[in-house]
Amino acid sequence: MASTQPKKRIGIMAPGRVLPQAVQAQVMDVAQRGGFLERLDLVFHDQCALEHGHFAGPDAARAQAFLDFANDPSMDAIWFARGGYGSNRILDLVIPNLAESANTKIWFGYSDAGYLLGALHGLGIGRSVHGPMPADILREGGETAIRRALAWLASPHVDAGPPRAAFNLTTLSHLASTAWMPDLRSHELWIEEVGEHFYAIDRALFSVLTSANVGGISGMRLGRCSDIPENDIDFKLSEVEIASHWCTRIGAAYLGRCDIGHDSANAVVPFRR
């Protein structure tokens, strides 16, 4: 029997790099075969397929696509199409131009999308959620990641608990010195990393955990740190030892590992205020 509940409308736009139409079709195929289209209306913005050098269209086009969906009262969520550098370049173009309807939105993604997730969380606009993005269909086991995201988007969202946020470490370290950095004091902070040397992980944790807006976190969990390059001098410390060191230095609890990372096992982690 078909559901009598109205479909949730999910707007998909690319704040950074392009999401080709062929990849969009793969995501729609997974949604169709999984029965998710009975509960979700997935709307890919035409901007997703634009190409402008590194980006999915110029900054102005990406910002307009974001605002098209963010300010549309019929949209329940914006699902960021993929990572890849770029979302920070549109922050000042979109945040001041959000309508009242943005306050009810879910913002869903990870990696470079963390610039938007963090800024929106800090400003109390809608609800940020760390989770798989459409481009993850290209990863090994990617269909499982897409199904995980769609299942969460299609379900009721009851997730009470203490404040929490999840980020890619490099993204958060770049956000830390800006006006867009959210106040994460009292939060449980989840972080993951990909493609960075151990010393770069150490440096980024210094930037994040000594930031005025982070120093009072309740604790930190460490996700997967994958594809770590070999350094010419052995750093000697593992990612766990590095994380434990900086937590000790700021007097925060190191809470162990968590199931987030740049892979198809990446968990859905709703932010909490």
Side-chain angles (χ1 to χ4, degrees), residues 200-218:
I201 294 172
D202 187 82
R203 180 173 57 200
L205 277 171
F206 158 75
S207 296
V208 167
L209 295 185
T210 61
S211 165
N213 281 348
V214 180
I217 59 170
S218 63

Side-chain angles (χ1 to χ4, degrees), residues 209-234:
L209 295 185
T210 61
S211 165
N213 281 348
V214 180
I217 59 170
S218 63
M220 188 182 77
R221 295 188 184 276
L222 180 64
R224 287 177 287 284
C225 297
S226 56
D227 299 332
I228 298 175
E230 184 176 348
N231 196 43
D232 56 347
I233 300 174
D234 188 357

Side-chain angles (χ1 to χ4, degrees), residues 135-218:
D136 286 325
I137 191 67
L138 301 174
R139 297 187 186 278
E140 181 179 355
E143 180 170 332
T144 300
I146 298 301
R147 287 175 176 266
R148 184 181 310 116
L150 292 172
W152 193 91
L153 287 165
S155 301
H157 307 132
V158 178
D159 185 48
R164 177 178 68 185
F167 292 93
N168 169 260
L169 175 58
T170 293
T171 298
L172 187 60
S173 71
H174 291 165
L175 193 62
S177 62
T178 74
W180 304 109
M181 180 67 175
D183 188 347
L184 299 178
R185 290 172 295 180
S186 80
H187 282 58
E188 183 174 300
L189 177 61
W190 295 27
I191 59 168
E192 54 83 19
E193 190 54 280
V194 61
E196 298 290 346
H197 290 86
F198 283 117
Y199 73 81
I201 294 172
D202 187 82
R203 180 173 57 200
L205 277 171
F206 158 75
S207 296
V208 167
L209 295 185
T210 61
S211 165
N213 281 348
V214 180
I217 59 170
S218 63

Side-chain angles (χ1 to χ4, degrees), residues 51-272:
E51 296 187 50
H52 183 77
H54 175 90
F55 305 108
D59 292 348
R62 302 196 318 281
Q64 187 58 57
F66 180 93
L67 291 171
D68 287 345
F69 286 158
N71 292 341
D72 181 345
S74 74
M75 289 291 178
D76 296 288
I78 291 183
W79 190 14
F80 299 117
R82 67 173 301 162
Y85 176 71
S87 71
N88 61 310
R89 292 172 61 102
I90 67 171
L91 280 170
D92 63 329
L93 302 177
V94 301
I95 299 297
N97 294 305
L98 290 172
E100 185 69 24
S101 60
N103 290 320
T104 64
K105 295 287 189 293
I106 289 167
W107 322 100
F108 195 104
Y110 74 106
S111 189
D112 183 80
Y115 291 109
L116 288 161
L117 297 177
L120 291 160
H121 178 71
L123 293 168
I125 301 173
R127 188 174 195 191
S128 295
V129 179
H130 167 109
M133 296 180 290
D136 286 325
I137 191 67
L138 301 174
R139 297 187 186 278
E140 181 179 355
E143 180 170 332
T144 300
I146 298 301
R147 287 175 176 266
R148 184 181 310 116
L150 292 172
W152 193 91
L153 287 165
S155 301
H157 307 132
V158 178
D159 185 48
R164 177 178 68 185
F167 292 93
N168 169 260
L169 175 58
T170 293
T171 298
L172 187 60
S173 71
H174 291 165
L175 193 62
S177 62
T178 74
W180 304 109
M181 180 67 175
D183 188 347
L184 299 178
R185 290 172 295 180
S186 80
H187 282 58
E188 183 174 300
L189 177 61
W190 295 27
I191 59 168
E192 54 83 19
E193 190 54 280
V194 61
E196 298 290 346
H197 290 86
F198 283 117
Y199 73 81
I201 294 172
D202 187 82
R203 180 173 57 200
L205 277 171
F206 158 75
S207 296
V208 167
L209 295 185
T210 61
S211 165
N213 281 348
V214 180
I217 59 170
S218 63
M220 188 182 77
R221 295 188 184 276
L222 180 64
R224 287 177 287 284
C225 297
S226 56
D227 299 332
I228 298 175
E230 184 176 348
N231 196 43
D232 56 347
I233 300 174
D234 188 357
F235 195 68
K236 298 296 186 183
L237 300 177
S238 69
E239 66 267 34
V240 172
E241 291 169 320
I242 293 168
S244 297
H245 167 83
W246 284 109
C247 284
T248 299
R249 284 281 288 269
I250 69 165
Y254 173 65
L255 301 172
R257 304 307 293 259
C258 59
D259 197 17
I260 62 172
H262 274 64
D263 52 46
S264 59
N266 188 25
V268 176
V269 184
F271 287 31
R272 304 182 190 126

